[in-house]
Amino acid sequence: MTVQILRKKFTVGQYHQMIESGILSDRDRVELLQGEIIEMSPIGMQHAACVDRLNELLVRGLRGKAIVRVQNPIQLSTRSEPQPDFAILQRRSDFYANGHPQPSDVFALIEVFDTTVEFDRTVKVPLYAKDNIAEVWIVDLNAEAVQIYREPSEAGYQQLQAFRRGQAIAFQAFTDIQFAVEQLLG
């Protein structure tokens, strides 16, 4: 006899109700991906240092042009509310106080990889492409490289470029602001 395991898929609204009722708290490191509540890995020292370094670089470089959101939710769909390491967002006077940013608000997302490389590459990046996020940067601390994904489609990103130390990169929305790869990697 075969036993089928049933999974309950949640909507963003149900996920928020769990937070409001105390089922989930701000101490729970979770995100909603395709209806499933996923526990996020603990943040290690290298990852934290990279996020702090990037925060300083991005805020300084994009001042007045974009909002730099750090490890906060974006709402991709009714079933996905990930928390990327960075979301580069269109400026809004309310700083998204009335609702999390939607894909149309996002210039680019950045994920820092150290321990969750395979999960992020096989689950999160395709999800971002499916939900039409124009550009995703992957800062891979293990490979000491930055991968840039562009041209999203249902099948995934159509363009992937890898950059290493000694090269400069820029967001497609802000081509005049360049970052040296070694600045991002440390």
Side-chain angles (χ1 to χ4, degrees), residues 5-16 18-19 24 29-40 76-83 119 123-124 127:
I5 297 173
L6 300 175
R7 292 183 174 184
K8 167 71 173 143
K9 298 279 187 170
F10 299 100
T11 65
V12 169
Q14 292 168 325
Y15 178 66
H16 284 223
M18 285 186 254
I19 294 168
L24 295 173
R29 290 197 29 80
V30 296
E31 59 189 343
L32 184 68
L33 300 176
Q34 297 174 310
E36 294 185 22
I37 298 171
I38 307 293
E39 187 172 7
M40 297 177 352
L76 295 180
S77 67
T78 59
R79 294 206 177 268
S80 291
E81 193 174 274
Q83 295 180 37
F119 176 79
V123 175
K124 288 182 94 172
L127 179 65

Side-chain angles (χ1 to χ4, degrees), residues 54-65:
L54 284 171
N55 186 43
E56 185 172 296
L57 287 168
L58 295 169
V59 167
R60 189 178 334 130
L62 297 171
R63 178 168 287 136
K65 295 180 183 280

Side-chain angles (χ1 to χ4, degrees), residues 20-184:
E20 290 164 11
S21 68
I23 294 170
L24 295 173
S25 75
D26 56 0
R27 289 188 311 269
D28 293 309
R29 290 197 29 80
V30 296
E31 59 189 343
L32 184 68
L33 300 176
Q34 297 174 310
E36 294 185 22
I37 298 171
I38 307 293
E39 187 172 7
M40 297 177 352
S41 294
I43 296 175
M45 290 183 289
Q46 294 300 313
H47 187 281
C50 184
V51 168
D52 290 344
R53 183 174 40 259
L54 284 171
N55 186 43
E56 185 172 296
L57 287 168
L58 295 169
V59 167
R60 189 178 334 130
L62 297 171
R63 178 168 287 136
K65 295 180 183 280
I67 293 173
V68 177
R69 182 173 256 218
V70 183
Q71 297 178 332
N72 279 323
I74 59 168
Q75 185 178 340
L76 295 180
S77 67
T78 59
R79 294 206 177 268
S80 291
E81 193 174 274
Q83 295 180 37
D85 288 309
F86 292 93
I88 310 306
L89 305 172
Q90 294 191 33
R91 293 192 57 75
R92 275 191 17 193
S93 61
D94 73 343
F95 286 82
Y96 297 93
N98 296 314
H100 292 309
Q102 308 287 310
S104 61
D105 300 312
V106 178
F107 290 119
L109 298 178
I110 301 174
E111 293 282 5
V112 176
F113 286 178
D114 54 354
T115 60
T116 60
V117 174
E118 202 54 39
F119 176 79
D120 288 345
R121 267 201 193 108
T122 60
V123 175
K124 288 182 94 172
V125 170
L127 179 65
Y128 294 151
K130 183 179 173 191
D131 288 306
N132 208 32
I133 299 298
E135 180 172 8
V136 176
W137 290 14
I138 302 302
V139 178
D140 187 336
L141 298 175
N142 299 322
E144 291 200 341
V146 178
Q147 297 171 342
I148 298 179
Y149 295 81
R150 293 181 175 147
E151 298 179 24
S153 74
E154 280 288 320
Y157 284 96
Q158 302 305 302
Q159 183 185 72
L160 167 61
Q161 291 180 282
F163 297 86
R164 300 210 175 268
R165 293 179 187 278
Q167 295 180 293
I169 55 179
F171 294 106
Q172 61 186 357
F174 307 104
T175 56
D176 58 323
I177 303 167
Q178 294 200 347
F179 301 94
V181 171
E182 53 267 14
Q183 287 180 297
L184 285 83

